[in-house]
C-alpha cells in the first residue's frame, strides 16, 4: 500500500519584540514609505538577546504538536540558516526541549527554501516506512546575521518559527502532500550569502573582513531568478499533481517581497488575490516564512478544508522547490 505524508498539525511562534519601519528608519537612511513601497513590509519581530533559534522552534513545534492532538513523533527536521551553534545541529536541542525522547533529529540548510527541503525529507521518511509521524520546523533568528547599517537587508528580515506535523496516511486523503520538485544551482552561490564562516578560500591564514560575517544579497538579480525558478517549479508540481493553474485556491510562496509574490502569481497565471501574504506583519522570515504564512492564514480562517494549495520557495544556494496539498481539517493551536 502506498503511504503518503499528511499534514496533521500546524503552529507558529514569533518573538515578542515588534520592530516598526519607523524604528529602523531612525537609524537608517530610509523611511516607512520607502520600505513599504519596495517590500510591502511595515513591521517585523526580532528576538531579544538570549532568545535562541531553538527557543522559537520549540514554541512553534509545541503548538503544532498540540494542534495535531498527539505529542509523539518519530523524527524532527529543523530548517534553519541561523542555528544555535555551527556544531552540533539545532534539531536535537529542540527535540530535547520538546520532550521527544530519542527521536531522530537533524537540520536542513537551504536558506529560504529550507522548509520545503525539510518537508520533503519528512515526507520521504514517512513514504519509506521509516517513521509514522514527523515534526517539521522552519525557525530563524535572521536579525543576528544582518548588518545593522545595511538598509537593503536590515529592513527586510524578521525572526520567527513555523511548524507542521506530518503523519502517515493515504495519498488520496485531505492533507496529503503531493509531488515535490526541488532544485539547486551552485553557480549562484554569491547572490545570497554570508561570505565568512569557513576557511579562507585561497588557503592563507588571512582572516575575513568584519563585514563578511553579515548576510548579503544581490537583490535585483535575485528578484528575477526567484520569479523564474518558483514559477517553473510551481508549474512542474501542478503538472505532476494533475492540477490546472485555475484549480489552485491559494498560492503560498516564500514571503520574500510583496512584489515578487505578485509577479510570481502573474507568471503562473493565477489571480493575485489568491496569493497568501503575511509579509507586511512579519517581514521575510527565511525558512520560517511558509509555515508561518500557513499558520497565520489558517488562524484567520482563510484556508478552508478542501482548498487546493500550492507551496513554492526560492533561496540561497541557489535553491528552489514546490509541492501541493489539499487543505485538511486542522485544529487551531
Amino acid at each position: 500500500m502506498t503511504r503518503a505524508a499528511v499534514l496533521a498539525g500546524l503552529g507558529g511562534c514569533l518573538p515578542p519584540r515588534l520592530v516598526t519601519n519607523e524604528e529602523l528608519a531612525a537609524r537608517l537612511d530610509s523611511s516607512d514609505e520607502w520600505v513599504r513601497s519596495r517590500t510591502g513590509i511595515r513591521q517585523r519581530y526580532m528576538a531579544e538577546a538570549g532568545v535562541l533559534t531553538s527557543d522559537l522552534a520549540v514554541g512553534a513545534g509545541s503548538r503544532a504538536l498540540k494542534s495535531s492532538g498527539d505529542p509523539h513523533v518519530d523524527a524532527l527536521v529543523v530548517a534553519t540558516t541561523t542555528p544555535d551553534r555551527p556544531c552540533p545541529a539545532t534539531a536535537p536541542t529542540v527535540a530535547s526541549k520538546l520532550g521527544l525522547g530519542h527521536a531522530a533529529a537533524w537540520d536542513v540548510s537551504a536558506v529560504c527554501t529550507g522548509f520545503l527541503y525539510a518537508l520533503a525529507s519528512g515526507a520521504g521518511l514517512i513514504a519509506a516506512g521509516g517513521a509514522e509521524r514527523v515534526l517539521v520546523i522552519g525557525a530563524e533568528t535572521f536579525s543576528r546575521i544582518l548588518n545593522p547599517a545595511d538598509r537593503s537587508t536590515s529592513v527586510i528580515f524578521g525572526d520567527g518559527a513555523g511548524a507542521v506535523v506530518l503523519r502517515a496516511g493515504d495519498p488520496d486523503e485531505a492533507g496529503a502532500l503531493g509531488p515535490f520538485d526541488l532544485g539547486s544551482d551552485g553557480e549562484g552561490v554569491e547572490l545570497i550569502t554570508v561570505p565568512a564562516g569557513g576557511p579562507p578560500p585561497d588557503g592563507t591564514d588571512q582572516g575575513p573582513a568584519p563585514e563578511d560575517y553579515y548576510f548579503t544579497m544581490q537583490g535585483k538579480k535575485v528578484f528575477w531568478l526567484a520569479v523564474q525558478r518558483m514559477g517553473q517549479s510551481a508549474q512542474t508540481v501542478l503538472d505532476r499533481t494533475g492540477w490546472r493553474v485555475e484549480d489552485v485556491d491559494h498560492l503560498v510562496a516564500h514571503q520574500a517581497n510583496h512584489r515578487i509574490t505578485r509577479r510570481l502569481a502573474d507568471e503562473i497565471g493565477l489571480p493575485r488575490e489568491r496569493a497568501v501574504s503575511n509579509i507586511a506583519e512579519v517581514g521575510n522570515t527565511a525558512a520560517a516564512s511558509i509555515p508561518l504564512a500557513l499558520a497565520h492564514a489558517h488562524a484567520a480562517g482563510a484556508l478552508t478544508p478542501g482548498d487546493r494549495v500550492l507551496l513554492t520557495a526560492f533561496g540561497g544556494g541557489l535553491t528552489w522547490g514546490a509541492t501541493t496539498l489539499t487543505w485538511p481539517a486542522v485544529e487551531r493551536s
Side-chain angles (χ1 to χ4, degrees):
M1 178 179 176
T2 303
R3 289 162 55 100
V6 178
L7 192 150
L10 180 66
C13 178
L14 293 167
R17 185 189 168 209
L18 186 152
V19 180
T20 64
N21 290 343
E22 288 84 358
E23 180 178 339
L24 293 179
R27 62 176 172 80
L28 294 168
D29 180 19
S30 185
S31 67
D32 174 61
E33 191 280 330
W34 187 90
V35 177
R36 288 198 194 205
S37 65
R38 286 161 177 77
T39 68
I41 300 167
R42 59 181 173 83
Q43 64 181 42
R44 74 287 295 148
Y45 292 82
M46 293 186 178
E48 298 279 10
V51 176
L52 303 175
T53 293
S54 61
D55 296 324
L56 299 180
V58 168
S62 62
R63 291 182 175 95
L65 290 168
K66 181 180 179 181
S67 168
S68 77
D70 187 342
H72 304 290
V73 295
D74 305 302
L76 165 66
V77 190
V78 174
T80 186
T81 318
T82 54
D84 289 358
R85 306 177 184 184
C87 177
T90 297
T93 299
V94 175
S96 178
K97 290 180 177 181
L98 286 172
L100 300 182
H102 294 161
W106 67 94
D107 287 3
V108 168
S109 178
V111 198
C112 299
T113 319
F115 179 75
L116 280 182
Y117 269 62
L119 200 64
S121 298
L125 188 64
I126 288 174
E132 294 298 313
R133 291 170 56 83
V134 179
L135 175 60
V136 181
I137 304 175
E140 302 283 13
T141 50
F142 224 82
S143 62
R144 306 270 166 80
I145 61 172
L146 300 178
N147 185 339
D150 180 7
R151 76 170 182 172
S152 68
T153 57
S154 62
V155 300
I156 295 175
F157 292 90
D159 302 332
V164 300
V165 174
L166 302 178
R167 63 165 176 82
D170 188 272
D172 296 324
E173 68 178 294
L177 297 179
F180 281 85
D181 176 71
L182 302 173
S184 74
D185 180 7
E187 295 297 319
V189 66
E190 298 299 334
L191 296 180
I192 303 172
T193 186
V194 177
D202 57 5
T204 68
D205 293 330
Q206 182 178 354
E211 60 269 21
D212 288 341
Y213 288 97
Y214 291 120
F215 174 87
T216 65
M217 179 171 62
Q218 297 181 38
K220 290 183 179 180
K221 292 182 180 179
V222 167
F223 183 103
W224 292 111
L225 281 171
V227 171
Q228 293 166 11
R229 293 301 190 185
M230 284 194 290
Q232 293 164 0
S233 194
Q235 189 59 60
T236 296
V237 297
L238 289 177
D239 292 343
R240 292 175 182 172
T241 305
W243 291 358
R244 299 167 302 172
V245 171
E246 52 265 36
D247 294 329
V248 176
D249 296 298
H250 304 285
L251 166 66
V252 184
H254 163 55
Q255 303 290 296
N257 180 305
H258 77 125
R259 293 187 299 162
I260 289 178
T261 303
R262 291 174 179 176
R263 189 60 63 88
L264 173 62
D266 296 343
E267 180 80 5
I268 64 177
L270 193 71
R272 289 182 174 184
E273 60 269 21
R274 296 191 192 179
V276 170
S277 178
N278 68 340
I279 194 170
E281 292 77 31
V282 302
N284 180 341
T285 55
S289 79
I290 286 180
L292 267 177
L294 288 172
H296 291 167
H298 178 60
L303 296 174
T304 303
D307 285 350
R308 293 184 172 186
V309 182
L310 170 64
L311 310 179
T312 187
F314 177 88
L318 299 169
T319 56
W320 57 86
T323 192
T324 58
L325 77 154
T326 300
W327 194 251
V330 182
E331 290 293 328
R332 292 184 174 89
S333 57

